[in-house]
Amino acid sequence: MNLAEVEDVALDITADGPDNTITSLAFEFQKRDNGRKKRVSFYSAKHDNNLMKLDEDFKLGQKWQKLLSDCLKF
């Protein structure tokens, strides 16, 4: 992803089931020129047996989303 072509970035959280268990985390990048969005996944519950990595990946995702958003402001 070329950040020079990105207008905005968001943390996309997908939850499922009656207890809204997070099943995937991704960054969603919106392009400047056409507004199209590209999703880049970085966490999937199907690869995390006991959801051991979820909390850490979620916190890292929040930090990176803020860093990327701040960089896009310049």
Side-chain angles (χ1 to χ4, degrees):
M1 178 64 51
N2 182 352
L3 290 181
E5 299 174 358
V6 174
E7 180 177 355
D8 191 28
V9 61
L11 182 60
D12 183 34
I13 302 167
T14 304
D16 195 21
D19 58 352
N20 280 334
T21 301
I22 293 175
T23 56
S24 71
L25 298 170
F27 290 116
E28 189 173 80
F29 296 94
Q30 183 176 354
K31 294 189 79 174
R32 287 183 194 276
D33 59 352
N34 59 17
R36 289 189 181 159
K37 295 179 180 180
K38 178 173 175 127
R39 190 174 190 271
V40 178
S41 181
F42 64 91
Y43 171 83
S44 174
K46 64 182 169 185
H47 301 293
D48 186 9
N49 290 338
N50 295 317
L51 303 178
M52 293 174 55
K53 299 175 185 174
L54 175 59
D55 187 52
E56 181 179 336
D57 285 356
F58 181 71
K59 288 177 184 174
L60 284 172
Q62 288 178 314
K63 288 179 184 180
W64 274 103
Q65 187 273 330
K66 179 168 177 11
L67 286 169
L68 290 167
S69 291
D70 290 347
C71 289
L72 294 174
K73 292 178 184 176
F74 293 105

mmCIF file of all heavy atoms in Angstrom, residues 8-39:
data_model
loop_
_atom_site.group_PDB
_atom_site.id
_atom_site.type_symbol
_atom_site.label_atom_id
_atom_site.label_comp_id
_atom_site.label_asym_id
_atom_site.label_seq_id
_atom_site.Cartn_x
_atom_site.Cartn_y
_atom_site.Cartn_z
ATOM 1 N N ASP A 8 -7.370 8.005 4.015
ATOM 2 C CA ASP A 8 -7.776 7.696 5.388
ATOM 3 C C ASP A 8 -7.499 6.218 5.680
ATOM 4 O O ASP A 8 -7.449 5.397 4.774
ATOM 5 C CB ASP A 8 -9.266 7.989 5.566
ATOM 6 C CG ASP A 8 -9.711 7.955 7.010
ATOM 7 O OD1 ASP A 8 -8.883 8.236 7.909
ATOM 8 O OD2 ASP A 8 -10.891 7.655 7.268
ATOM 9 N N VAL A 9 -7.335 5.928 6.968
ATOM 10 C CA VAL A 9 -7.162 4.538 7.397
ATOM 11 C C VAL A 9 -8.022 4.319 8.637
ATOM 12 O O VAL A 9 -8.143 5.194 9.491
ATOM 13 C CB VAL A 9 -5.676 4.201 7.693
ATOM 14 C CG1 VAL A 9 -5.122 5.061 8.799
ATOM 15 C CG2 VAL A 9 -5.505 2.728 8.023
ATOM 16 N N ALA A 10 -8.656 3.143 8.694
ATOM 17 C CA ALA A 10 -9.515 2.808 9.827
ATOM 18 C C ALA A 10 -9.200 1.389 10.281
ATOM 19 O O ALA A 10 -8.748 0.557 9.495
ATOM 20 C CB ALA A 10 -10.983 2.914 9.435
ATOM 21 N N LEU A 11 -9.449 1.134 11.546
ATOM 22 C CA LEU A 11 -9.322 -0.214 12.091
ATOM 23 C C LEU A 11 -10.669 -0.897 11.908
ATOM 24 O O LEU A 11 -11.683 -0.435 12.424
ATOM 25 C CB LEU A 11 -8.929 -0.157 13.568
ATOM 26 C CG LEU A 11 -8.704 -1.478 14.275
ATOM 27 C CD1 LEU A 11 -7.586 -2.276 13.603
ATOM 28 C CD2 LEU A 11 -8.364 -1.251 15.733
ATOM 29 N N ASP A 12 -10.692 -1.968 11.122
ATOM 30 C CA ASP A 12 -11.918 -2.690 10.806
ATOM 31 C C ASP A 12 -11.994 -3.924 11.704
ATOM 32 O O ASP A 12 -11.114 -4.786 11.653
ATOM 33 C CB ASP A 12 -11.913 -3.082 9.330
ATOM 34 C CG ASP A 12 -13.190 -3.776 8.914
ATOM 35 O OD1 ASP A 12 -14.263 -3.425 9.444
ATOM 36 O OD2 ASP A 12 -13.116 -4.672 8.052
ATOM 37 N N ILE A 13 -13.032 -3.992 12.515
ATOM 38 C CA ILE A 13 -13.211 -5.096 13.460
ATOM 39 C C ILE A 13 -14.422 -5.913 13.036
ATOM 40 O O ILE A 13 -15.516 -5.368 12.881
ATOM 41 C CB ILE A 13 -13.427 -4.560 14.895
ATOM 42 C CG1 ILE A 13 -12.247 -3.694 15.311
ATOM 43 C CG2 ILE A 13 -13.659 -5.702 15.872
ATOM 44 C CD1 ILE A 13 -12.506 -2.871 16.558
ATOM 45 N N THR A 14 -14.215 -7.216 12.840
ATOM 46 C CA THR A 14 -15.310 -8.111 12.493
ATOM 47 C C THR A 14 -15.588 -9.001 13.695
ATOM 48 O O THR A 14 -14.683 -9.646 14.208
ATOM 49 C CB THR A 14 -14.953 -8.984 11.269
ATOM 50 O OG1 THR A 14 -14.592 -8.128 10.191
ATOM 51 C CG2 THR A 14 -16.119 -9.859 10.868
ATOM 52 N N ALA A 15 -16.849 -9.003 14.150
ATOM 53 C CA ALA A 15 -17.258 -9.816 15.300
ATOM 54 C C ALA A 15 -18.390 -10.739 14.875
ATOM 55 O O ALA A 15 -19.143 -10.446 13.941
ATOM 56 C CB ALA A 15 -17.699 -8.922 16.447
ATOM 57 N N ASP A 16 -18.509 -11.859 15.578
ATOM 58 C CA ASP A 16 -19.496 -12.862 15.208
ATOM 59 C C ASP A 16 -20.057 -13.529 16.455
ATOM 60 O O ASP A 16 -19.420 -13.539 17.508
ATOM 61 C CB ASP A 16 -18.837 -13.909 14.300
ATOM 62 C CG ASP A 16 -19.847 -14.784 13.584
ATOM 63 O OD1 ASP A 16 -21.005 -14.362 13.451
ATOM 64 O OD2 ASP A 16 -19.465 -15.887 13.166
ATOM 65 N N GLY A 17 -21.226 -14.096 16.317
ATOM 66 C CA GLY A 17 -21.833 -14.869 17.399
ATOM 67 C C GLY A 17 -22.620 -14.013 18.367
ATOM 68 O O GLY A 17 -22.591 -12.787 18.315
ATOM 69 N N PRO A 18 -23.311 -14.668 19.283
ATOM 70 C CA PRO A 18 -24.160 -13.956 20.242
ATOM 71 C C PRO A 18 -23.373 -13.085 21.226
ATOM 72 O O PRO A 18 -23.893 -12.108 21.753
ATOM 73 C CB PRO A 18 -24.908 -15.070 20.973
ATOM 74 C CG PRO A 18 -24.105 -16.298 20.750
ATOM 75 C CD PRO A 18 -23.381 -16.119 19.448
ATOM 76 N N ASP A 19 -22.112 -13.439 21.451
ATOM 77 C CA ASP A 19 -21.304 -12.650 22.385
ATOM 78 C C ASP A 19 -20.363 -11.678 21.656
ATOM 79 O O ASP A 19 -19.485 -11.078 22.268
ATOM 80 C CB ASP A 19 -20.510 -13.560 23.318
ATOM 81 C CG ASP A 19 -19.600 -14.517 22.569
ATOM 82 O OD1 ASP A 19 -19.684 -14.583 21.331
ATOM 83 O OD2 ASP A 19 -18.797 -15.184 23.230
ATOM 84 N N ASN A 20 -20.559 -11.500 20.335
ATOM 85 C CA ASN A 20 -19.743 -10.580 19.527
ATOM 86 C C ASN A 20 -18.249 -10.826 19.670
ATOM 87 O O ASN A 20 -17.468 -9.901 19.854
ATOM 88 C CB ASN A 20 -20.074 -9.130 19.854
ATOM 89 C CG ASN A 20 -21.330 -8.666 19.154
ATOM 90 O OD1 ASN A 20 -21.690 -9.185 18.106
ATOM 91 N ND2 ASN A 20 -22.003 -7.695 19.725
ATOM 92 N N THR A 21 -17.843 -12.063 19.579
ATOM 93 C CA THR A 21 -16.426 -12.421 19.638
ATOM 94 C C THR A 21 -15.728 -11.901 18.383
ATOM 95 O O THR A 21 -16.201 -12.114 17.261
ATOM 96 C CB THR A 21 -16.261 -13.953 19.717
ATOM 97 O OG1 THR A 21 -16.938 -14.417 20.877
ATOM 98 C CG2 THR A 21 -14.793 -14.342 19.795
ATOM 99 N N ILE A 22 -14.625 -11.224 18.584
ATOM 100 C CA ILE A 22 -13.869 -10.701 17.446
ATOM 101 C C ILE A 22 -13.280 -11.862 16.661
ATOM 102 O O ILE A 22 -12.613 -12.731 17.218
ATOM 103 C CB ILE A 22 -12.766 -9.740 17.917
ATOM 104 C CG1 ILE A 22 -13.408 -8.487 18.525
ATOM 105 C CG2 ILE A 22 -11.846 -9.354 16.761
ATOM 106 C CD1 ILE A 22 -12.430 -7.513 19.144
ATOM 107 N N THR A 23 -13.555 -11.870 15.362
ATOM 108 C CA THR A 23 -13.057 -12.935 14.503
ATOM 109 C C THR A 23 -11.942 -12.465 13.574
ATOM 110 O O THR A 23 -11.157 -13.281 13.099
ATOM 111 C CB THR A 23 -14.195 -13.531 13.656
ATOM 112 O OG1 THR A 23 -14.817 -12.485 12.914
ATOM 113 C CG2 THR A 23 -15.213 -14.224 14.546
ATOM 114 N N SER A 24 -11.884 -11.165 13.297
ATOM 115 C CA SER A 24 -10.790 -10.657 12.468
ATOM 116 C C SER A 24 -10.572 -9.173 12.703
ATOM 117 O O SER A 24 -11.485 -8.444 13.086
ATOM 118 C CB SER A 24 -11.036 -10.932 10.981
ATOM 119 O OG SER A 24 -12.068 -10.113 10.492
ATOM 120 N N LEU A 25 -9.331 -8.763 12.481
ATOM 121 C CA LEU A 25 -8.935 -7.362 12.560
ATOM 122 C C LEU A 25 -8.219 -7.019 11.265
ATOM 123 O O LEU A 25 -7.452 -7.829 10.742
ATOM 124 C CB LEU A 25 -7.981 -7.128 13.738
ATOM 125 C CG LEU A 25 -8.520 -7.411 15.132
ATOM 126 C CD1 LEU A 25 -7.373 -7.369 16.148
ATOM 127 C CD2 LEU A 25 -9.583 -6.394 15.509
ATOM 128 N N ALA A 26 -8.482 -5.825 10.768
ATOM 129 C CA ALA A 26 -7.848 -5.408 9.523
ATOM 130 C C ALA A 26 -7.753 -3.889 9.492
ATOM 131 O O ALA A 26 -8.477 -3.190 10.210
ATOM 132 C CB ALA A 26 -8.653 -5.892 8.328
ATOM 133 N N PHE A 27 -6.850 -3.408 8.656
ATOM 134 C CA PHE A 27 -6.817 -1.986 8.354
ATOM 135 C C PHE A 27 -7.602 -1.788 7.067
ATOM 136 O O PHE A 27 -7.505 -2.591 6.133
ATOM 137 C CB PHE A 27 -5.384 -1.482 8.149
ATOM 138 C CG PHE A 27 -4.579 -1.457 9.407
ATOM 139 C CD1 PHE A 27 -3.464 -2.261 9.547
ATOM 140 C CD2 PHE A 27 -4.930 -0.634 10.458
ATOM 141 C CE1 PHE A 27 -2.721 -2.251 10.700
ATOM 142 C CE2 PHE A 27 -4.191 -0.615 11.627
ATOM 143 C CZ PHE A 27 -3.084 -1.423 11.744
ATOM 144 N N GLU A 28 -8.391 -0.725 7.018
ATOM 145 C CA GLU A 28 -9.114 -0.384 5.808
ATOM 146 C C GLU A 28 -8.581 0.955 5.308
ATOM 147 O O GLU A 28 -8.712 1.971 5.987
ATOM 148 C CB GLU A 28 -10.611 -0.302 6.094
ATOM 149 C CG GLU A 28 -11.451 -0.174 4.867
ATOM 150 C CD GLU A 28 -12.920 -0.261 5.188
ATOM 151 O OE1 GLU A 28 -13.462 0.762 5.640
ATOM 152 O OE2 GLU A 28 -13.507 -1.337 5.004
ATOM 153 N N PHE A 29 -7.939 0.925 4.150
ATOM 154 C CA PHE A 29 -7.335 2.114 3.570
ATOM 155 C C PHE A 29 -8.264 2.674 2.499
ATOM 156 O O PHE A 29 -8.741 1.936 1.635
ATOM 157 C CB PHE A 29 -5.990 1.767 2.923
ATOM 158 C CG PHE A 29 -4.955 1.292 3.904
ATOM 159 C CD1 PHE A 29 -4.767 -0.052 4.162
ATOM 160 C CD2 PHE A 29 -4.155 2.205 4.571
ATOM 161 C CE1 PHE A 29 -3.815 -0.492 5.062
ATOM 162 C CE2 PHE A 29 -3.195 1.775 5.481
ATOM 163 C CZ PHE A 29 -3.027 0.431 5.726
ATOM 164 N N GLN A 30 -8.506 3.983 2.546
ATOM 165 C CA GLN A 30 -9.323 4.632 1.526
ATOM 166 C C GLN A 30 -8.415 5.445 0.616
ATOM 167 O O GLN A 30 -7.646 6.291 1.082
ATOM 168 C CB GLN A 30 -10.363 5.546 2.164
ATOM 169 C CG GLN A 30 -11.276 6.197 1.153
ATOM 170 C CD GLN A 30 -12.364 7.020 1.802
ATOM 171 O OE1 GLN A 30 -12.515 7.032 3.011
ATOM 172 N NE2 GLN A 30 -13.124 7.704 0.985
ATOM 173 N N LYS A 31 -8.515 5.184 -0.687
ATOM 174 C CA LYS A 31 -7.659 5.863 -1.653
ATOM 175 C C LYS A 31 -8.136 7.291 -1.905
ATOM 176 O O LYS A 31 -9.321 7.581 -1.854
ATOM 177 C CB LYS A 31 -7.629 5.081 -2.967
ATOM 178 C CG LYS A 31 -6.948 3.721 -2.803
ATOM 179 C CD LYS A 31 -6.741 3.060 -4.117
ATOM 180 C CE LYS A 31 -5.536 3.704 -4.752
ATOM 181 N NZ LYS A 31 -5.121 3.065 -5.987
ATOM 182 N N ARG A 32 -7.180 8.177 -2.157
ATOM 183 C CA ARG A 32 -7.477 9.590 -2.403
ATOM 184 C C ARG A 32 -8.233 9.810 -3.715
ATOM 185 O O ARG A 32 -9.191 10.560 -3.763
ATOM 186 C CB ARG A 32 -6.180 10.407 -2.495
ATOM 187 C CG ARG A 32 -5.482 10.633 -1.211
ATOM 188 C CD ARG A 32 -4.243 11.511 -1.427
ATOM 189 N NE ARG A 32 -3.379 11.468 -0.284
ATOM 190 C CZ ARG A 32 -3.525 12.226 0.787
ATOM 191 N NH1 ARG A 32 -4.498 13.089 0.841
ATOM 192 N NH2 ARG A 32 -2.702 12.108 1.806
ATOM 193 N N ASP A 33 -7.773 9.177 -4.777
ATOM 194 C CA ASP A 33 -8.281 9.501 -6.103
ATOM 195 C C ASP A 33 -9.695 9.009 -6.390
ATOM 196 O O ASP A 33 -10.465 9.696 -7.048
ATOM 197 C CB ASP A 33 -7.321 9.001 -7.189
ATOM 198 C CG ASP A 33 -7.093 7.496 -7.130
ATOM 199 O OD1 ASP A 33 -7.543 6.845 -6.161
ATOM 200 O OD2 ASP A 33 -6.450 6.971 -8.056
ATOM 201 N N ASN A 34 -10.067 7.846 -5.876
ATOM 202 C CA ASN A 34 -11.389 7.313 -6.223
ATOM 203 C C ASN A 34 -12.230 6.896 -5.014
ATOM 204 O O ASN A 34 -13.345 6.418 -5.181
ATOM 205 C CB ASN A 34 -11.243 6.135 -7.184
ATOM 206 C CG ASN A 34 -10.413 5.010 -6.621
ATOM 207 O OD1 ASN A 34 -10.182 4.934 -5.423
ATOM 208 N ND2 ASN A 34 -9.949 4.131 -7.491
ATOM 209 N N GLY A 35 -11.714 7.041 -3.815
ATOM 210 C CA GLY A 35 -12.466 6.708 -2.615
ATOM 211 C C GLY A 35 -12.618 5.211 -2.348
ATOM 212 O O GLY A 35 -13.242 4.825 -1.371
ATOM 213 N N ARG A 36 -12.063 4.385 -3.224
ATOM 214 C CA ARG A 36 -12.153 2.937 -3.005
ATOM 215 C C ARG A 36 -11.388 2.533 -1.756
ATOM 216 O O ARG A 36 -10.405 3.161 -1.389
ATOM 217 C CB ARG A 36 -11.603 2.184 -4.198
ATOM 218 C CG ARG A 36 -12.498 2.282 -5.395
ATOM 219 C CD ARG A 36 -12.050 1.355 -6.478
ATOM 220 N NE ARG A 36 -12.937 1.494 -7.616
ATOM 221 C CZ ARG A 36 -12.619 1.140 -8.823
ATOM 222 N NH1 ARG A 36 -11.438 0.606 -9.072
ATOM 223 N NH2 ARG A 36 -13.471 1.290 -9.802
ATOM 224 N N LYS A 37 -11.868 1.458 -1.159
ATOM 225 C CA LYS A 37 -11.255 0.987 0.074
ATOM 226 C C LYS A 37 -10.573 -0.347 -0.155
ATOM 227 O O LYS A 37 -11.066 -1.194 -0.894
ATOM 228 C CB LYS A 37 -12.297 0.859 1.175
ATOM 229 C CG LYS A 37 -12.883 2.202 1.562
ATOM 230 C CD LYS A 37 -13.924 2.071 2.638
ATOM 231 C CE LYS A 37 -14.468 3.453 2.987
ATOM 232 N NZ LYS A 37 -15.485 3.386 4.020
ATOM 233 N N LYS A 38 -9.430 -0.514 0.497
ATOM 234 C CA LYS A 38 -8.691 -1.777 0.443
ATOM 235 C C LYS A 38 -8.508 -2.267 1.871
ATOM 236 O O LYS A 38 -8.055 -1.523 2.743
ATOM 237 C CB LYS A 38 -7.340 -1.589 -0.228
ATOM 238 C CG LYS A 38 -6.539 -2.874 -0.252
ATOM 239 C CD LYS A 38 -5.281 -2.749 -1.047
ATOM 240 C CE LYS A 38 -4.500 -4.030 -0.896
ATOM 241 N NZ LYS A 38 -4.124 -4.619 -2.123
ATOM 242 N N ARG A 39 -8.853 -3.512 2.097
ATOM 243 C CA ARG A 39 -8.777 -4.113 3.429
ATOM 244 C C ARG A 39 -7.525 -4.973 3.512
ATOM 245 O O ARG A 39 -7.293 -5.836 2.670
ATOM 246 C CB ARG A 39 -10.025 -4.960 3.653
ATOM 247 C CG ARG A 39 -10.197 -5.452 5.051
ATOM 248 C CD ARG A 39 -11.554 -6.146 5.173
ATOM 249 N NE ARG A 39 -11.859 -6.433 6.547
ATOM 250 C CZ ARG A 39 -11.511 -7.546 7.170
ATOM 251 N NH1 ARG A 39 -10.864 -8.484 6.527
ATOM 252 N NH2 ARG A 39 -11.830 -7.736 8.430
#
